[in-house]
Amino acid sequence: SLFESVNLFLSLFSSGGGSKSKGAKSAPLIEYMKPAVTNTVGPALGILALKNIPYSSQVLVKSCKLVPVMIMGTIFGKKRYSLKEYLCVALICLGLVVFSLKKSAAANKKLSEPNLVTGYALVAVNLAFDGFTNAYQDKINTTYKATSSLDMMCWMNFFTGSFLSIYMFGATGVGAELVGFLMAHPASVADVLGFCLCGALGQLFIFLTINKFGALTLTLVTTTRKFFSIFISSVFMGSTLVGQQWVGVALLFAGLLWNMQIKSASKKAPKKAD
């Protein structure tokens, strides 16, 4: 919730810099509530999944975000994708299946409640919610042309922060525990604020990418980053992967790189005259 508050402050502080098209309308605030709900619940489910599956498994499954983004984009954004793009998705899913069929005993020993079915189910719901969030953000940008990336960031974080605050300080005692911890350890306040500030600045670029290039491009960028998360986790943090799982990782990211190549080629191709 503190992270969302810092995001909101930066968004409001910078909100005067966006350019508005003449005659275009900005999205009404009610439009942000639907994606804000899934944006609130989805990441929480992803964190809960870490009790049941290793971090590398969670990252790999979330790398398949391209799949729900395409599905939700077809449903809500009326988008159409080529056969090659569907083949990319099939390759990504194959990589995920190959990865998931092999268990790593060394990694499972570190889990508090190892349960592959529960873990993967939680991440799958997280993915579906993320797909809806990104697809609906695309729909808002397409429908309301005057909506800037800062508008999107401001109101998404406003509603997400509001929902989290209600949960933390109203429905549960988590918020009071957080305040108590910060008061008992005042030195940690600087670390928390630094974390929130870095996350908020990072989100400026995330929402700018969604606004200028769309949710699918953002997914490809963040998924590429996740490959390095898996690599660093495996090599430096002791999250052990076995040979078959590395094959699954290779297949999944081959599909992602192929998709990136398709997108790049389509942008360079000359547009046909009407």
Side-chain angles (χ1 to χ4, degrees), residues 155-166:
W155 297 114
M156 280 292 295
N157 283 298
F158 171 78
F159 285 113
T160 301
S162 298
F163 295 148
L164 287 173
S165 296
I166 292 171

Side-chain angles (χ1 to χ4, degrees), residues 66-221:
L66 179 67
V67 178
V69 167
M70 289 178 67
I71 294 173
M72 297 295 182
T74 301
I75 296 173
F76 295 101
K78 307 300 181 184
K79 294 188 176 182
R80 295 294 179 264
Y81 300 97
S82 67
L83 176 61
K84 286 184 178 180
E85 288 175 304
Y86 284 113
L87 290 175
C88 289
V89 170
L91 188 58
I92 289 169
C93 293
L94 175 62
L96 180 60
V97 170
V98 171
F99 181 92
S100 303
L101 287 176
K102 190 68 176 179
K103 298 179 181 179
S104 174
N108 288 339
K109 287 180 181 178
K110 300 178 181 180
L111 301 174
S112 60
E113 302 172 17
N115 188 317
L116 291 181
V117 175
T118 301
Y120 283 124
L122 287 170
V123 181
V125 177
N126 179 194
L127 268 181
F129 282 6
D130 282 353
F132 175 85
T133 300
N134 289 154
Y136 209 89
Q137 288 172 332
D138 261 353
K139 179 183 177 182
I140 290 174
N141 285 324
T142 303
T143 306
Y144 304 97
K145 299 296 185 181
T147 301
S148 69
S149 56
L150 288 170
D151 291 332
M152 181 74 71
M153 178 177 172
C154 174
W155 297 114
M156 280 292 295
N157 283 298
F158 171 78
F159 285 113
T160 301
S162 298
F163 295 148
L164 287 173
S165 296
I166 292 171
Y167 172 78
M168 293 174 64
F169 294 97
T172 70
V174 175
E177 291 179 11
L178 171 62
V179 173
F181 176 85
L182 294 176
M183 292 179 66
H185 306 86
S188 64
V189 174
D191 294 330
V192 172
L193 288 176
F195 173 79
C196 293
L197 182 61
C198 290
L201 291 174
Q203 282 213 359
L204 286 172
F205 294 96
I206 289 174
F207 284 100
L208 182 62
T209 302
I210 292 174
N211 184 267
K212 299 297 183 183
F213 304 102
L216 195 60
T217 299
L218 175 68
T219 299
L220 292 172
V221 172

